[in-house]
Amino acid sequence: MKKIIIFLGIIATLLTSCSNYIEEESLSNVPADETYKTASGFQLLVNTNYAWLKGIYGGDPWLFEAGTDMYAEGRTPEPAGLSQYQLLIPSSTGVEQLYNSCYRLIQSVNKTMYYSTLTEQTPNLNTLVGEAKFLRANAYFLLVQTYGGVPIVNEHVTSPVLSFKRNTAEEVYAQIIEDLDAALANVGTTAYAGKVNKRAVNDLLAKVYLTKGYETFGTPADFTKAATYAEAAIAGQALNLAFDQLFKPANDLNVETIFSVQYDKVSTSTSPTTLGNNQFYYFSSYLGGSETKGGAPLRSYNLCPTNYALGLYTKGDKRWDATFMTTVYENYYDFFRKPTEFATMKIKHFYEPSWFTAADRTAKQAELATRWQTGSTVANGYHNWGTYSAEYVEIKNLDYTSIPVKKFDDPDLTTPASTGPVSTRDIIISRLGETYLVAAEAYLKAGDASTGLARLNEVRRRAGVANATLAEFNIDYILDERGRELVGEYKRWFDLKRTGTLVARASLYHPKIKKLSNPFVGVGGALKILRPIPQLALDLNQNKDFPQNPGY
């Protein structure tokens, strides 16, 4: 067998406990090999592939959002290398997480491919194989964007392989597209966001070709293909669902959700503190936690929105109130649980929008004068514009200093008191509003700005704001619009890296990065655009010619 990579987690497992890796436990006393050769057993194997998505998306979102123009640390320090780059080295905290979890999923899919030729040949077998290939392609796409070229592993590994080579980014993209083409030909059309279907494949193909088009080996045809696949994913569906319904609790599987990582409270009940996800835990200051009066959700005081992120919104943009908890009631969760009582509920905090005039402020403070909860007043409960961003946290580091992002909140009565900093709400990976923005960018890069602008303006129409003009329609405008639309949705670092704006935008808008001198400049003067290959992966590799990324 040719020498290929064993992903980081499997290498560690093989070196420390080979027998545990090779010998699979079967609680029903039925050998795994025999089980996977049945239709029901093979279905369980495919389900395992989906489950690995939770390892990729369910933990700390540093590699998705940290060190960008939109979010910065508050009271709780982030992994310094990931948030500020100057200290980013191959052994930095968090560098391994995505590398490790993606290769776990890839190896799970490889097992699925292996047993697909041995299992009972059922009518839906090709559909299941197509779903698995989509998941493998998604994992490789995350890897190639984050680390550049990585080893391609498409063999089911049952014995240690400790020497591996590095494939080029171009080769990885070819592998991704090959998997997605196969998936598109075989998956079904069932409209269920937790299961891979043709729409989800088209959406991912659009993103892959769009990103590939920016690479040195990309071509103008990639942008044209991206637009075509985006249109196939849109499938003529308009953005008619109100924005505040997109992330409404219990509405994660709405008609605009294309693909999501599925969670279920019942299935996570055996260990709710570890089997849920952390998405709602970030994007705000500390709110006191569930132990305090007011039932506030437990927050990390991290990934607080920057002045730039908060300043993206203009008057009338429905996404402002739908994204942020602009008014905090005496019991935080009453916003979700008692929507008919807003007019009489006591108020704990109010965050003034950027467009407030002096007259607006005076009127709002008068309106709230009799509604402050005990202990809150205009002095400590009313936050003027400019006094609740990540930048202001450095001046006044108190609870509720940074405006909470509410779109991921889980107001279930058992959350968070019995679960800690986790939620069992789904993590939405692809949704229609973003697909419109992918189409907008693809058309712009393909030379059809007018069609691209029309796609972008559909997003703005739903938000209730004026159309953008052709004169202002460029990549920076698209990034601003993606910022308004996609707060906290695990996209931002990839957006900046894809468009070649990471260094400029992070240096301009991230409050800590902007204070550093050349934070992106690494070894030999190379810029740290890619994240480093994890040091442990290099240490365990017997092929010492495996190259590290530039700058490290």
Side-chain angles (χ1 to χ4, degrees), residues 206 209 222-232 438-439 442-443 446:
Y209 274 110
D222 291 324
F223 296 118
T224 301
K225 290 178 181 178
T228 299
Y229 282 116
E231 291 293 349
V438 169
Y443 280 119

Side-chain angles (χ1 to χ4, degrees), residues 132-142 175-176 179-180 204:
K133 286 188 174 182
F134 169 93
L135 298 174
R136 183 168 68 182
N138 185 66
Y140 276 126
F141 187 42
L142 291 171
Q175 171 61 47
I176 292 167
D179 270 349
L180 290 177
L204 185 54

